[in-house]
Amino acid sequence: MARTCLVFDTAANISNNQFDDVYVIPLLITEVIDGKIKTYRDGVDIDGKTCLEKLIAGQCLKTAQSIPKDVVDLMDKLSVEYDEVFFIPCPLQISNQYNSMKLICADYKNVHVFKQNMLANFTLWTLEDLLDLNKKGKLTADYIQKYLDETQFAKAGVLNVPDFRYLKRGGRVSAFKAAMGSLLKFKVSISYADSGLVMFDKTTNIKKIPAICEESFKAAIPNFSMSKINRIWFGTSGISDEKFKIDEIMALMKKYFKVDKKVKVYEGPITSVITAHTGPNYVIVGVGCDPKVLKINKK
């Protein structure tokens, strides 16, 4: 059986040495200190806790693609050690990382770069499924592409952000919208699915947020219903300002999305490269479904 490995970047909720034959390439986080840009490799030079502390202290953090030399060094090593290398970078909808990685890896005959539409815990779910395929001896480039095609419409998430400061810094909303949103005490629900990040809805009443999330899932996942969920993810940063009622929103989410015991439940924050744009005050809920149960027929 061919020896294979999987490669991701730090937009995924995966770290190096967490799984056998799975490698993670750091994306970049930058900040300006005394007029000079300082660059950190995510997960190497800076961790999630430090990133949050910098954001809370008022630092403006930005993100960038991986350093090409890091990628080349890793691929030089893996392309020799493994028969096949499968690289799944972060989605094209939020970064040009895929196109850059495709170009960098073009000269490696046994390195395959895949386009996909998920990040954070959604990518962890992808990894879990691919590791199952590997146990069955089915981890090939064709099978991975088939899996990504079949599952791309079966996962979706909603990022609920009541704090507009970081969305403004990250360029997600204009200064005017941020000021008005803060004045009116809006909580914005940003959906994430195959089409990327989309401002789905807004409300001033936190009790309405779970129902907004369900409507977002119905819009993103064909034939969606709560009974078809087989994975669910609840996420917060673990560090937030009490005035934004993050804990209360999360409690409402867990009560509303009370799932069957057979459903796999995941809890944890989004990755640092996403938190750099959202800030620490957020609640995310993500769901995954079996495409066969959904009876999706999309290409």
Side-chain angles (χ1 to χ4, degrees):
M1 187 169 66
R3 188 160 185 236
T4 62
C5 72
L6 291 157
V7 182
F8 298 88
D9 56 38
T10 50
N13 268 3
I14 302 164
S15 58
N16 274 310
N17 305 315
Q18 187 176 354
F19 300 92
D20 291 338
D21 302 317
V22 176
Y23 301 86
V24 181
I25 292 174
L27 292 164
L28 304 181
I29 295 175
T30 64
E31 67 174 330
V32 178
I33 301 176
D34 297 327
K36 296 180 180 179
I37 297 176
K38 184 167 184 179
T39 300
Y40 306 94
R41 289 179 297 169
D42 182 29
V44 178
D45 308 315
I46 190 170
D47 59 17
K49 182 175 180 292
T50 305
C51 180
L52 285 168
E53 289 171 348
K54 286 181 176 293
L55 287 168
I56 292 169
Q59 286 296 106
C60 182
L61 303 182
K62 296 187 180 296
T63 58
Q65 298 172 42
S66 301
I67 297 170
K69 187 179 184 304
D70 285 350
V71 181
V72 170
D73 288 347
L74 181 62
M75 292 307 164
D76 281 347
K77 175 176 178 289
L78 298 183
S79 62
V80 173
E81 293 181 1
Y82 292 89
D83 298 308
E84 302 288 345
V85 179
F86 305 121
F87 185 9
I88 306 177
C90 70
L92 192 58
Q93 294 97 325
I94 64 167
S95 169
N96 203 39
Q97 172 91 337
Y98 165 78
N99 287 331
S100 298
M101 299 305 104
K102 188 81 173 172
L103 184 63
I104 290 170
C105 298
D107 291 334
Y108 298 94
K109 292 183 179 180
N110 62 339
V111 176
H112 311 271
V113 183
F114 296 90
K115 186 187 295 185
Q116 57 106 19
N117 66 338
M118 286 294 148
L119 46 74
N121 260 50
F122 301 115
T123 311
L124 175 60
W125 298 349
T126 294
L127 171 59
E128 290 176 347
D129 291 342
L130 294 182
L131 290 177
D132 284 341
L133 280 176
N134 194 34
K135 290 177 184 177
K136 299 172 184 176
K138 293 183 177 180
L139 194 63
T140 65
D142 288 343
Y143 260 93
I144 292 175
Q145 190 59 64
K146 183 174 183 287
Y147 167 84
L148 293 174
D149 290 343
E150 288 178 347
T151 60
Q152 65 175 321
F153 299 102
K155 304 170 187 174
V158 182
L159 183 64
N160 299 280
V161 186
D163 184 354
F164 285 78
R165 292 173 297 171
Y166 302 95
L167 292 176
K168 182 185 75 172
R169 288 182 199 169
R172 300 296 175 184
V173 298
S174 67
F176 175 76
K177 286 182 178 179
M180 290 303 296
S182 298
L183 180 65
L184 298 173
K185 297 184 179 180
F186 276 142
K187 285 75 178 170
V188 172
S189 295
I190 304 170
S191 68
Y192 184 82
D194 181 64
S195 56
L197 291 164
V198 179
M199 296 286 185
F200 184 78
D201 206 346
K202 59 185 180 294
T203 182
T204 57
N205 185 350
I206 64 172
K207 292 181 179 179
K208 292 182 178 180
I209 292 177
I212 289 173
C213 292
E214 184 183 4
E215 288 305 308
S216 175
F217 297 148
K218 288 178 179 177
I221 301 174
N223 307 318
F224 174 82
S225 68
M226 299 275 274
S227 63
K228 294 176 181 176
I229 296 172
N230 66 1
R231 284 172 167 141
I232 191 164
W233 166 35
F234 299 105
T236 66
S237 70
I239 302 174
S240 58
D241 189 325
E242 289 183 6
K243 73 178 181 180
F244 293 110
K245 301 183 178 180
I246 297 300
D247 291 342
E248 189 176 344
I249 296 171
M250 179 55 80
L252 289 168
M253 289 290 197
K254 290 182 176 179
K255 184 178 180 180
Y256 189 92
F257 290 96
K258 194 172 182 179
V259 292
D260 188 273
K261 291 182 179 179
K262 294 180 181 179
V263 176
K264 293 182 72 174
V265 179
Y266 301 72
E267 294 192 41
I270 53 178
T271 56
S272 298
V273 291
I274 307 301
T275 305
H277 297 281
T278 65
N281 299 304
Y282 67 81
V283 173
I284 188 169
V285 59
V287 298
C289 306
D290 184 339
K292 293 177 182 177
V293 174
L294 294 171
K295 298 180 180 179
I296 294 175
N297 184 25
K298 287 197 176 187
K299 293 184 179 180

